[in-house]
Amino acid sequence: MQNLNKVTIVMYHYIRDLKNSRYPKIKGLDLFLFIEQLNYLQKNYNIITMELLIEALYNNESLPPKAVLLTFDDAYLDHFTNVFPILFDRKIQGSFFTPAKAISENLVLDVNKIHFILASADNIDYLVSRTFNELDKYRNKYELESNDFYYGKLAVANRLDLKEVAYIKKLLQKELPEELRNKIVNTLFEEFVGMSENAFSREMYMSRDQLKCMLKNGMHVGNHGYNHYWLNSLSEEEQRFEVRKGCEFLKEIGVDMNEWTMCYPYGAYNPITLNILEETNCKLGLTSVVDVADLSVYNKFALPRLDTNEIPKDSNSKVNDWFLKG
Ligand SMILES: [Zn+2]
């Protein structure tokens, strides 16, 4: 028998025509593969809206069999230019999660700067050596460990990244003190990408008007924090700030705050986060745990998602294990 309490929530980031873009090496989903995947999903699943998922969570409405929800993180301009017209045309809803500060202050998130530094570097070994120079420069002031220490600790290949790439990402996203991380990221961004942050931000993220346009046309827009920090690394007060400022931004662009939703940057949250969301009348929270969301098993503030790479990108592909679990 079908379980009508399950939804497969798919997570997307960059979606663009990679080889014709300025940064063909950026790790994103090619637009034609997104279309193929959408065809596959429409053929095998029922694409649902956020409103229906909220109904299922709060009013015990059952979901259609093989329900799938499409989510897009970080409010990239890619989503407005490439994704929205396709969804609109097919009368499908997408849910878009905005890191508010990047948009309201025309800044670029460090995580995105790092992606574009990596995509702009012709030689990864040279980039690694540049981080060593930077560490040398600041070693005394910040009481840093040796270069070998950081490289030995962080250069571990994973499912997505070569060991050199994993080292750069971890060093600059988390390992070093925040103030120093920002300094080094900005130096390398200037050197490898060479564009002003303000100009880059405008070609990177959607504007308020574009978000409003999507809302008006039936898309869902949710909270993805203010600074795009790991919430579980913040104090309660700092977490409240992230949630509140994210909500203020949603209010400003016209989101119905009776149905606001949260998507944790990096999928990171802790019990304090869940209390804050409960108190502030958040309807649901999305993590980056890889699984089908069974509503009878998962906390409504900790719903798992599948990355696009977990799902076939060929309209005629046979279904995979995730389909069977969904
Ligand atoms: Zn994000």
Side-chain angles (χ1 to χ4, degrees):
M1 210 186 103
Q2 288 278 5
N3 181 331
L4 301 181
N5 260 322
K6 289 182 181 176
V7 54
T8 298
I9 306 177
V10 191
M11 167 173 73
Y12 295 98
H13 287 91
Y14 302 109
I15 300 175
R16 50 177 71 182
D17 179 6
L18 287 166
K19 71 175 189 312
N20 293 312
S21 74
R22 289 217 311 288
Y23 302 95
K25 287 198 292 181
I26 202 80
K27 280 201 179 154
L29 176 63
D30 245 307
L31 183 55
F32 78 97
L33 292 176
F34 172 70
I35 296 170
E36 284 285 320
Q37 184 164 85
L38 198 56
N39 293 341
Y40 167 86
L41 291 171
Q42 286 194 286
K43 195 151 102 184
N44 296 294
Y45 286 82
N46 290 299
I47 299 178
I48 64 163
T49 62
M50 188 60 90
E51 290 77 8
L52 191 67
L53 177 54
I54 292 172
E55 281 287 300
L57 282 166
Y58 287 83
N59 299 329
N60 274 325
E61 294 285 335
S62 64
L63 292 169
K66 302 297 175 193
V68 67
L69 180 83
L70 307 181
T71 66
F72 303 84
D73 287 12
D74 303 334
Y76 297 134
L77 187 54
D78 284 1
H79 301 159
F80 184 78
T81 312
N82 299 330
V83 172
F84 171 48
I86 297 169
L87 299 185
F88 179 78
D89 189 48
R90 299 187 186 198
K91 300 184 168 54
I92 293 169
Q93 188 195 60
S95 295
F96 299 85
F97 293 91
T98 62
K101 185 181 180 182
I103 299 172
S104 43
E105 299 181 29
N106 286 116
L107 300 174
V108 179
L109 301 176
D110 273 4
V111 61
N112 294 139
K113 284 184 188 159
I114 296 164
H115 293 155
F116 285 88
I117 291 167
L118 284 163
S120 303
D122 293 327
N123 180 335
I124 187 73
D125 294 327
Y126 176 67
L127 181 56
V128 169
S129 74
R130 280 294 294 111
T131 64
F132 290 161
N133 304 150
E134 292 297 309
L135 293 173
D136 293 343
K137 199 159 92 191
Y138 294 109
R139 177 154 291 106
N140 287 338
K141 184 170 175 203
Y142 289 90
E143 296 176 358
L144 301 177
E145 304 285 347
S146 70
N147 294 342
D148 283 350
F149 169 86
Y150 292 117
Y151 197 76
K153 177 176 173 189
L154 305 174
V156 182
N158 58 44
R159 207 160 53 97
L160 299 171
D161 295 319
L162 297 171
K163 69 178 197 304
E164 294 84 358
V165 173
Y167 157 77
I168 303 257
K169 284 188 178 173
K170 287 186 211 148
L171 181 79
L172 299 178
Q173 284 181 5
K174 236 182 164 184
E175 180 73 18
L176 300 175
E178 187 184 353
E179 183 187 86
L180 177 59
R181 272 186 348 238
N182 293 343
K183 278 188 194 169
I184 298 181
V185 166
N186 286 339
T187 301
L188 297 176
F189 187 78
E190 170 105 41
E191 182 177 331
F192 287 86
V193 181
M195 204 169 150
S196 88
E197 181 162 359
N198 186 296
F200 201 83
S201 172
R202 288 168 200 274
E203 69 171 53
M204 179 91 198
Y205 308 101
M206 287 185 262
S207 66
R208 286 183 178 79
D209 285 338
Q210 287 164 333
L211 286 161
K212 283 181 190 168
C213 172
M214 293 211 304
L215 276 170
K216 214 180 284 172
N217 287 289
M219 301 293 138
H220 177 83
V221 179
N223 191 337
H224 196 43
Y226 189 65
N227 287 288
H228 200 270
Y229 287 155
W230 275 263
L231 294 178
N232 61 356
S233 71
L234 302 180
S235 68
E236 174 164 355
E237 199 185 335
E238 290 166 330
Q239 289 202 43
R240 285 188 187 280
F241 176 86
E242 289 296 313
V243 172
R244 190 184 71 241
K245 292 284 278 185
C247 280
E248 282 171 9
F249 181 81
L250 296 182
K251 228 180 279 174
E252 198 187 304
I253 60 169
V255 169
D256 174 2
M257 296 311 285
N258 293 314
E259 304 240 298
W260 79 271
T261 61
M262 183 78 198
C263 171
Y264 310 113
Y266 312 100
Y269 67 96
N270 62 17
I272 296 171
T273 326
L274 303 190
N275 284 339
I276 296 171
L277 296 186
E278 188 83 59
E279 264 175 38
T280 49
N281 197 29
C282 176
K283 285 295 180 277
L284 60 86
L286 305 177
T287 70
S288 308
V289 169
V290 182
D291 200 0
V292 167
D294 185 335
L295 306 187
S296 57
V297 172
Y298 282 94
N299 181 317
K300 64 179 181 285
F301 293 131
L303 299 176
R305 298 189 287 172
L306 299 186
D307 184 77
T308 169
N309 292 316
E310 305 286 345
I311 293 174
K313 294 170 194 152
D314 169 353
S315 25
N316 297 314
S317 171
K318 279 205 215 115
V319 295
N320 68 6
D321 284 352
W322 289 117
F323 174 85
L324 302 174
K325 288 181 195 160

